[in-house]
Amino acid sequence: MDLKLYGKRALVTGSSGGLGEETARLLAAEGASVVVHGRDAARTAAVAEAVRAAGGSATTAVGDLGTDEGADAVAAAALAGGPVDILVNNAGRYDMSVDWTTTTPADWADIYNTNVVSSVRMIQRLVPAMRARGWGRVIQVGSVTGELPQTTQPHYAASNAARANLARSLARELRHTGVTSNVVVAGGILVPGAVERLTAMGRERGWGDTWEEIAANRDTAFAANDVGRIGEPREYADVIAFLASPLSAYITGSALRVDGGW
């Protein structure tokens, strides 16, 4: 399917690795010019170079979106190559090791700044111009924990509920403008860091010795959905790319769950 992304420019925050990198690579392969963002200049440049080596168009924007100054720098770098048509707010963090007894109010404030306020900063800097041009796509990448919170990492779950809420509110704000706002509600994502952590967890619980053994074991918590496995980054990137496309014009204010039926 032709997603009609040629001539569009996309900023994918947190794209120096993981799902963000996969999304940037796919958008570029579909014809969009991508702005690869990260806090580490070397990692960010490496992803952009890989995109260009594959025949795509990519530039970089380096900065910490947790501060106004960092957001200013990222927006300026992104806009240096032209208007941004697509904003994918993917940057965020989580910590599976903490729970209600080990998180402090400072931890809550910090993860809200990273997972919620950083998105607001980029929306405020880039979306007004989309609105003025009469076309744009804003996509939040959240987690199903925002709808199905657990006792672990409660601050992460709450921040993801907020991400979904801000996407819906923004959609109301942008009604009749040609700019849409949606959120992808993600289940587990098999990025390299997750595979490493889950392999260690599986060994501790006797589910197998290698990731291949653990992933194939249907008695594990990793198979606790209707599909029976954790999602691959490309499966999420495909959905994000569709929402970034002109083909998704009739979808706005939606929270699209991509979680294997968790």
Side-chain angles (χ1 to χ4, degrees), residues 7-241:
K8 305 297 185 186
R9 293 189 73 246
L11 168 62
V12 184
T13 68
S15 50
S16 61
L19 175 58
E21 177 181 355
E22 186 73 19
T23 299
R25 287 173 178 267
L26 179 58
L27 290 175
E30 289 290 337
S33 298
V34 299
V35 182
V36 180
H37 162 259
R39 291 181 297 177
D40 184 292
R43 288 182 58 197
T44 304
V47 173
E49 178 56 35
V51 169
R52 291 191 291 268
S57 173
T59 58
T60 61
V62 178
D64 181 0
L65 301 181
T67 68
D68 288 343
E69 295 77 12
D72 285 340
V74 171
L79 293 169
V84 172
D85 305 295
I86 300 159
L87 170 61
V88 181
N89 277 322
N90 167 76
R93 68 176 184 83
Y94 62 95
D95 184 351
M96 296 172 63
S97 69
V98 299
D99 56 24
W100 274 100
T101 63
T102 53
T103 52
T104 66
D107 293 328
W108 281 73
D110 184 55
I111 205 166
Y112 261 75
N113 184 46
T114 301
N115 291 359
V116 182
V117 183
S118 66
S119 293
V120 174
R121 289 187 177 101
M122 299 316 296
I123 288 166
Q124 291 180 338
R125 285 161 174 77
L126 298 177
V127 172
M130 295 181 192
R131 187 174 193 162
R133 293 193 304 275
W135 198 93
R137 298 287 184 266
V138 185
I139 303 156
Q140 303 295 126
V141 180
S143 165
V144 72
T145 60
E147 298 180 8
L148 301 170
Q150 309 297 311
T151 57
T152 56
Q153 52 179 356
H155 58 338
Y156 174 68
S159 73
N160 278 290
R163 290 184 95 156
N165 190 284
L166 79 84
R168 293 186 180 106
S169 176
L170 183 62
R172 303 289 86 77
E173 171 67 18
L174 295 172
R175 63 191 182 278
H176 305 161
T177 67
V179 184
T180 63
S181 171
N182 295 288
V183 58
V184 173
V185 181
I189 307 173
L190 279 179
V191 294
V195 172
E196 183 178 340
R197 286 189 297 272
L198 295 174
T199 299
M201 183 187 302
R203 287 171 180 162
E204 291 173 0
R205 300 184 182 185
W207 292 335
D209 291 323
T210 67
W211 171 247
E212 288 71 22
E213 293 173 336
I214 294 166
N217 188 338
R218 290 293 186 261
D219 294 327
T220 73
F222 310 147
N225 61 39
D226 293 343
V227 174
R229 61 177 175 81
I230 299 175
E232 297 287 346
R234 175 59 186 263
E235 293 175 299
Y236 292 96
D238 283 337
V239 176
I240 294 169

